[in-house]
Amino acid sequence: MKKIEIELNERSYPIHLGTMECLEHAGAVLVVTNPKVGGLYLSYVLGRIRAREVFVCTIPDGEAYKTLESVEMILESAFNHRLDRKSLMIALGGGVIGDMVGFASGIFQRGIGFVQIPTTLLSQVDASVGGKTGVNNAFGKNLIGLFHQPKAVYIDPLFLKSLPPREFGAGVAEIVKMAVTFDREFFEELERGDLRDHSFLLEGIERCVKIKARVVAMDEREQGIRAALNYGHTFGHVIEHESGYGHYLHGEAVGMGMVMANTLACGLGLLKESEAERIEKLLARYGIPTRYTIGDVERFYDLFFLDKKSENQKIKFILPEGIGGVAFRDDLSKSMVLSVLEAFCD
Ligand code: NAD
Ligand code: GLY
């Protein structure tokens, strides 16, 4: 098992890569999962936990259940099992479970520890690392939440064997995001290799985790460079909100969002058309949808303002600057943005 340390002073923690080893905890543990992941891997994980008591809480599956109601279910389970401030929550699942357990553990008795055991590619390469936690509500995506770092992350490739191809593609979208924004050489390797090849995939996961750990260590609370990891998300969150959570997978919405961001970047001279085509081609190779049809550009534009990245009524766009670089722009006129959105109308 490999170990990558994320350096955050007293909040530093290890990210373990490889077959999961024993997880020991002196107090009580609450493992939170959903019926699908629990059915597949709960006994595998329970067999690797050594703790005073171990309880299990199962919540409904899906982005549509990434709500305060589900967090309340987790908290009720914690109270029913008499968890205390020395107890630990464990998130066993994809990014939805991870974000909610992170949030629930961050507010239970003003905050207890939690561990991430990510089971989707997307959560292994991105969501499980960095301490962003939260839920969606009627106003938009991830608008309620906390920064709360886990105590450890266990990334076991075994889980990926049962992942449906669409979910795999959603994870690849986040891998492409990391390469485009931070690592040109990695992007070129992705163009040459195939992430469906197991050893290439493992290298890709490690590469992303290292990028993410470095970026989070530099800017834990997203005051600057961490925002680059939101490339594709400004558009993607609107796509998810407009189409109804669960219609597109989060990674798919990010994939389509990256293509929109690229169109904007090309218009500003930050990205060449040929580079935008290479990014779209790489996404399409993994079956990731790259074109979203906008029905009403004014409505789409208004939804940008619900995003956490918009500040003082200015939309902050995260745009690729060539491949391997990133630019932040909050000075674009509405007409400029609408002209890009119109390119995505029927
Ligand atoms: P998800 O958690 O909904 O998982 C996708 C589906 O795969 C679910 O049905 C799940 O039950 C199933 N599944 C999970 N593991 C499986 C396995 N091993 N085999 C078969 N099926 C499995 O979605 P996701 O793509 O993992 O995560 C998306 C969420 O992550 C979004 O809510 C997004 O906002 C969040 N996110 C958070 C961060 C962060 O930094 N906190 C970063 C990126 C995304
Ligand atoms: N997924 C974006 C971030 O963690 O900052």
Side-chain angles (χ1 to χ4, degrees):
M1 196 180 239
K2 282 191 184 167
K3 192 165 90 170
I4 296 163
E5 192 74 14
I6 173 158
E7 303 291 349
L8 289 167
N9 300 319
E10 71 283 359
R11 291 182 307 290
S12 299
Y13 54 93
I15 302 158
H16 303 278
L17 285 161
T19 303
M20 195 181 154
E21 286 167 2
C22 188
L23 187 166
E24 290 184 21
H25 185 69
V29 163
L30 180 68
V31 181
V32 183
T33 190
N34 67 38
K36 194 187 287 174
V37 179
L40 290 164
Y41 300 113
L42 188 58
S43 60
Y44 175 82
V45 169
L46 292 180
R48 284 163 175 76
I49 298 175
R50 304 273 174 276
R52 185 166 50 77
E53 291 170 293
V54 182
F55 305 105
V56 176
C57 167
T58 305
I59 56 174
D61 183 15
E63 186 75 39
Y65 292 98
K66 191 176 168 185
T67 58
L68 282 173
E69 288 74 23
S70 299
V71 167
E72 181 65 19
M73 282 176 69
I74 301 171
L75 295 173
E76 278 183 15
S77 174
F79 286 114
N80 282 333
H81 294 303
R82 297 177 190 276
L83 261 63
D84 60 29
R85 301 195 68 188
K86 297 267 188 283
S87 303
L88 183 77
M89 289 193 196
I90 296 182
L92 173 64
V96 169
I97 291 278
D99 280 11
M100 284 199 290
V101 175
F103 184 43
S105 63
I107 58 174
F108 178 75
Q109 297 192 4
R110 298 210 175 87
I112 63 169
F114 85 110
V115 163
Q116 291 272 19
I117 307 183
T119 60
T120 60
L121 181 58
L122 183 143
S123 56
Q124 295 196 344
V125 296
D126 190 354
S128 62
V129 176
K132 278 191 185 174
T133 77
V135 293
N136 310 325
N137 73 353
F139 291 89
K141 177 105 181 128
N142 297 334
L143 293 179
I144 301 168
L146 295 168
F147 284 98
H148 181 47
Q149 299 293 343
K151 295 286 176 209
V153 182
Y154 289 83
I155 296 178
D156 187 333
L158 170 93
F159 301 128
L160 302 180
K161 288 196 168 31
S162 55
L163 208 58
R166 223 181 127 194
E167 297 291 349
F168 186 82
V172 173
E174 301 277 11
I175 295 178
V176 173
K177 170 193 85 175
M178 304 253 191
V180 172
T181 43
F182 286 104
D183 194 338
R184 183 182 181 90
E185 198 181 296
F186 182 31
F187 183 86
E188 286 165 357
E189 283 169 32
L190 290 173
E191 284 182 306
R192 288 192 294 273
D194 188 339
L195 288 163
R196 284 162 289 223
D197 165 342
H198 191 64
S199 59
F200 188 66
L201 176 64
L202 295 188
E203 279 172 38
I205 294 173
E206 185 174 341
R207 200 102 173 222
C208 287
V209 168
K210 283 183 175 159
I211 293 174
K212 180 105 194 225
R214 183 166 53 83
V215 173
V216 172
M218 284 190 287
D219 179 23
E220 183 184 6
R221 296 178 80 90
E222 201 173 292
Q223 300 300 302
I225 190 66
R226 183 167 180 174
L229 295 170
N230 298 323
Y231 162 48
H233 288 60
T234 311
F235 294 93
H237 283 171
V238 176
I239 294 172
E240 273 186 284
H241 186 79
E242 204 183 55
S243 56
Y245 294 113
H247 181 75
Y248 289 111
L249 303 180
H250 172 73
E252 292 176 337
V254 168
M256 293 184 282
M258 287 194 282
V259 172
M260 288 183 179
N262 292 352
T263 308
L264 188 51
C266 288
L268 293 167
L270 293 167
L271 190 72
K272 294 188 195 124
E273 297 283 350
S274 59
E275 291 172 321
E277 278 163 23
R278 283 167 65 194
I279 297 168
E280 190 166 344
K281 192 169 156 205
L282 183 56
L283 293 168
R285 246 175 74 197
Y286 293 93
I288 301 159
T290 55
R291 294 278 155 173
Y292 178 75
T293 305
I294 299 176
D296 178 342
V297 289
E298 287 281 349
R299 181 183 141 76
F300 197 97
Y301 185 84
D302 282 345
L303 288 170
F304 281 136
F305 292 97
L306 287 177
D307 197 82
K308 295 185 294 309
K309 268 80 71 189
S310 68
E311 287 163 5
N312 301 327
Q313 293 302 301
K314 283 186 180 162
I315 312 160
K316 182 162 151 193
F317 289 101
I318 293 115
L319 303 171
E321 190 163 15
I323 291 177
V326 68
F328 301 140
R329 294 290 297 266
D330 67 358
D331 57 341
L332 304 181
S333 67
K334 181 172 176 182
S335 59
M336 160 94 203
V337 177
L338 288 189
S339 70
V340 168
L341 298 181
E342 271 152 16
F344 291 87
C345 290
D346 249 346

